[in-house]
Amino acid sequence: MTNQSIDKLDFLARRVLDAKKIGFLTGAGVSKESGVPTFRDADGLWNKFRPEELANATAFRNDPHMVWQWYNWRRKLINEVKPNPGHYAIVELEKISEGFLLITQNVDDLHRVAGSESVVELHGNIQVNKCFSCGKVIEGELDFDNDNIPHCECGGLARPGVVWFGEMLPEDAIISASNWTQECDLFFSVGTSTAVFPAAGLPYEAKKNGAYLIEINPQPTDLTPFADVSIQAPSGEVLPKIVEAMNSIRGARG
Ligand code: OAD
């Protein structure tokens, strides 16, 4: 991190401490330092797999076993990793802040495992099974053989509880996220390429409604020119430093 970035951190820490309502959008980059691959980086999932073959209802209808093979592989990978310092710093930010809502596109559940409490999951959660026919959550075994897919009591096949391409976001999730975004005075966009809408529209909506916009991402994105501050470094490095700076300012303020 450059000296200029470090100066920005102190400034940001004050900004966060003085904010009344913080919206905090996260994407796959936040989990990268835990070992969960992102989607669009050079080593990301969508460079190895084709979303149209895996993450949509038609693919599931045609070959549910192949789709489950992919999701069971991702579940296994996610079950073997732990939250990283970025996830834990977000928990601290929530505790210190007056009003805080974490809005995540991630399905890996690592924010909750770390201890975040006010979390809106825009793209669902990979640790949940729901019925492909009636949509109800199917409780029970998450670890099953790809050829032995559990059934719902209605007879439908279990599918992963994530949002696929071409599907609507859970209504309550997008409404809460959108309402909060319009009311907040500070908004973070962290570890997301801001390539997938409607989630990607939230930082712009926040800014349009007067929020101060901070982006943290090692790479520039389409959002970067609109951000008030952009820190180009990994979230697992930057976020703990912001929390550290906040704690020393709080100590000095008494
Ligand atoms: P992407 O893979 O599109 O973007 C990940 C972003 O994280 C990139 O901009 C990276 O530069 C950044 N990044 C990489 N390492 C980082 C680090 N250590 N710290 C911070 N940032 C880092 O992932 P998303 O933006 O989350 O949707 O993708 C959005 C949606 O597209 C996903 O939720 C998924 C996917 O298709 C569905 O499956 C519905």
Side-chain angles (χ1 to χ4, degrees), residues 227-238:
D228 292 297
V229 172
S230 165
I231 299 192
Q232 293 184 358
S235 49
E237 242 178 66
V238 178

Side-chain angles (χ1 to χ4, degrees), residues 160-227:
V162 301
V163 175
W164 281 334
F165 287 94
E167 292 182 332
M168 304 288 279
L169 267 51
E171 203 182 339
D172 51 345
I174 189 65
I175 290 176
S176 319
S178 195
N179 286 345
W180 189 272
T181 297
Q182 285 167 24
E183 290 160 8
C184 65
D185 52 343
L186 183 65
F187 196 91
F188 279 89
S189 177
V190 182
T192 174
S193 58
T194 53
V196 175
F197 286 78
L202 294 172
Y204 297 98
E205 205 174 320
K207 173 99 181 152
K208 194 177 86 190
N209 283 284
Y212 191 80
L213 180 59
I214 301 165
E215 183 184 51
I216 300 172
N217 192 318
Q219 303 294 329
T221 70
D222 288 349
L223 181 69
T224 309
F226 297 88

Side-chain angles (χ1 to χ4, degrees), residues 11 38 55 62 80 99 151 156 178 198 223 250:
F11 168 75
T38 61
N62 291 342
E80 283 166 3
H151 284 83
S178 195
L223 181 69
R250 286 166 82 216

Side-chain angles (χ1 to χ4, degrees), residues 4-196:
Q4 203 202 356
S5 308
I6 292 164
D7 287 348
K8 275 187 200 166
L9 293 184
D10 198 59
F11 168 75
L12 287 187
R14 288 174 199 281
R15 209 81 219 200
V16 181
L17 279 173
D18 295 338
K20 298 272 172 282
K21 239 175 171 180
I22 300 174
F24 201 107
L25 175 69
T26 62
V30 167
S31 295
K32 185 158 177 180
E33 289 153 90
S34 291
V36 183
T38 61
F39 294 94
R40 293 175 186 79
D41 285 325
D43 56 353
L45 292 172
W46 293 155
N47 283 322
K48 298 192 188 117
F49 303 95
R50 290 155 66 92
E52 60 275 27
E53 281 173 11
L54 295 162
N56 68 70
T58 309
F60 189 82
R61 214 170 279 117
N62 291 342
D63 193 345
H65 305 287
M66 182 188 71
V67 172
W68 265 118
Q69 204 177 345
W70 145 255
Y71 280 99
N72 276 335
W73 170 75
R74 282 184 67 202
R75 261 187 193 167
K76 186 164 176 292
L77 186 151
I78 287 164
N79 285 337
E80 283 166 3
V81 303
K82 293 194 170 60
N84 67 59
H87 291 107
Y88 289 115
I90 297 169
V91 178
E92 291 309 306
L93 283 175
E94 180 178 359
K95 283 190 199 150
I96 300 171
S97 304
E98 231 179 284
F100 190 93
L101 185 68
L102 176 57
I103 305 164
T104 190
Q105 297 164 88
N106 298 345
V107 299
D108 57 29
D109 213 26
L110 289 177
H111 284 304
R112 269 190 229 278
V113 174
S116 285
E117 285 179 5
S118 300
V119 189
V120 167
E121 290 172 328
L122 291 178
H123 293 166
N125 190 314
I126 201 168
Q127 306 294 8
V128 170
N129 289 337
K130 60 182 191 184
C131 176
F132 186 60
S133 299
C134 75
K136 263 204 240 160
V137 170
I138 304 176
E139 305 290 348
E141 198 48 68
L142 289 177
D143 183 15
F144 55 86
D145 194 285
N146 303 323
D147 293 326
N148 254 321
I149 305 171
H151 284 83
C152 174
E153 53 194 27
C154 81
L157 276 182
R159 59 162 281 180
V162 301
V163 175
W164 281 334
F165 287 94
E167 292 182 332
M168 304 288 279
L169 267 51
E171 203 182 339
D172 51 345
I174 189 65
I175 290 176
S176 319
S178 195
N179 286 345
W180 189 272
T181 297
Q182 285 167 24
E183 290 160 8
C184 65
D185 52 343
L186 183 65
F187 196 91
F188 279 89
S189 177
V190 182
T192 174
S193 58
T194 53
V196 175

